Amino acid sequence: MATSFPSAELSNKNSQEGKVKETAKAHDENVLQKHVAFFDRNHDGIIYPWETYQGFRAIGCGILLSAFSAIFINLGLSRKTRSGKALSIWLPIEVKNIQKAKHGSDSGVYDSEGRFVPSKFEEIFTKHARKHPNALTSDELMGMLKANRVPKDHKGWLASYTEWKILYVLCKDEDGLLHKEIVRAVYDGSLFERMEKEYSEKKKSE
């Protein structure tokens, strides 16, 4: 009859649970990087303004919006992700340090380390979605932005407004609703890839 060794089994179980937790942690730590990685068009860990421009064009944005977004985003984020380095006229964004560029007056869905916070994501809809539990109207979106404002954090106000306004314009449905699954997809970065694929297929069919 085989002898059972509870301590060995417990040790093995703890080891497996530890690996699961480490995997989950690693996934969480990469969420904010995945959010911006789409715009790293050559996958070298650096996002230049022309790559930001190419990324916006790839998802169907017009020339003016893409150009504005490239200047606004890279000008705002470059220096923050390159602390200790001289300002570069090329305005590069270092993907590995993107959490350092996290601005104030935001939703808090990313923590200070760039990890996804599920409870904060759910709060977007439990607190602000009034007409539809899983979607935001334009007015509800503006209400959320106002509720998130930190006093005198004008840069944060502008950054949040610009990010959400672009998302709303690009992704609202025919009824003017921004759906929960769309917002979730933009946080994990999968939305951009999906939009690029859809836009590419649309161009081919024309």
Side-chain angles (χ1 to χ4, degrees):
M1 184 175 181
T3 304
S4 177
F5 295 92
S7 59
E9 292 175 359
L10 181 60
S11 176
N12 182 53
K13 181 179 179 182
N14 289 339
S15 177
Q16 291 177 342
E17 290 178 349
K19 290 180 180 178
V20 171
K21 290 179 180 178
E22 287 178 5
T23 300
K25 183 179 179 182
H27 173 74
D28 288 343
E29 288 176 338
N30 289 320
V31 170
L32 184 51
Q33 290 182 19
K34 288 180 180 179
H35 172 71
V36 301
F38 172 80
F39 297 94
D40 180 12
R41 306 302 284 177
N42 62 357
H43 310 293
D44 64 351
I46 305 293
I47 303 173
Y48 290 98
W50 52 88
E51 290 183 285
T52 306
Y53 174 84
Q54 291 166 2
F56 274 92
R57 292 291 284 156
I59 61 176
C61 295
I63 293 175
L64 290 179
L65 177 57
S66 299
F68 167 79
S69 299
I71 296 170
F72 180 81
I73 292 172
N74 283 73
L75 188 62
L77 304 186
S78 178
R79 196 160 192 176
K80 294 179 181 179
T81 65
R82 304 177 71 250
S83 57
K85 298 180 181 179
L87 176 65
S88 170
I89 61 172
W90 303 114
L91 301 177
I93 296 171
E94 295 188 5
V95 176
K96 67 179 181 180
N97 296 325
I98 192 63
Q99 73 279 357
K100 294 180 180 180
K102 186 174 179 291
H103 58 77
S105 300
D106 65 357
S107 61
V109 174
Y110 295 126
D111 68 11
S112 60
E113 298 299 318
R115 294 171 297 204
F116 182 78
V117 183
S119 60
K120 288 293 184 180
F121 173 74
E122 293 298 331
E123 281 183 8
I124 292 175
F125 298 91
T126 57
K127 287 185 175 182
H128 305 289
R130 305 300 183 191
K131 293 185 178 180
H132 306 273
N134 294 313
L136 294 171
T137 65
S138 178
D139 289 342
E140 290 168 347
L141 178 58
M142 291 305 301
M144 180 193 73
L145 292 175
K146 290 179 181 179
N148 289 340
R149 287 179 180 174
V150 174
K152 299 182 180 180
D153 177 29
H154 299 102
K155 289 183 178 179
W157 298 1
L158 178 60
S160 291
Y161 175 82
T162 304
E163 291 168 355
W164 281 95
K165 193 64 176 179
I166 290 175
L167 177 62
Y168 180 79
V169 169
L170 292 177
C171 299
K172 65 181 178 180
D173 68 10
E174 61 275 10
D175 296 316
L177 298 175
L178 183 63
H179 290 270
K180 186 176 184 178
E181 64 268 22
I182 294 293
V183 179
R184 180 66 176 84
V186 78
Y187 275 114
D188 65 26
S190 62
L191 177 66
F192 304 128
E193 294 179 1
R194 186 195 314 169
M195 291 178 70
E196 180 180 31
K197 182 179 179 181
E198 291 175 353
Y199 182 62
S200 178
E201 292 175 349
K202 179 181 177 181
K203 283 173 51 177
K204 289 178 181 179
S205 64
E206 291 178 348

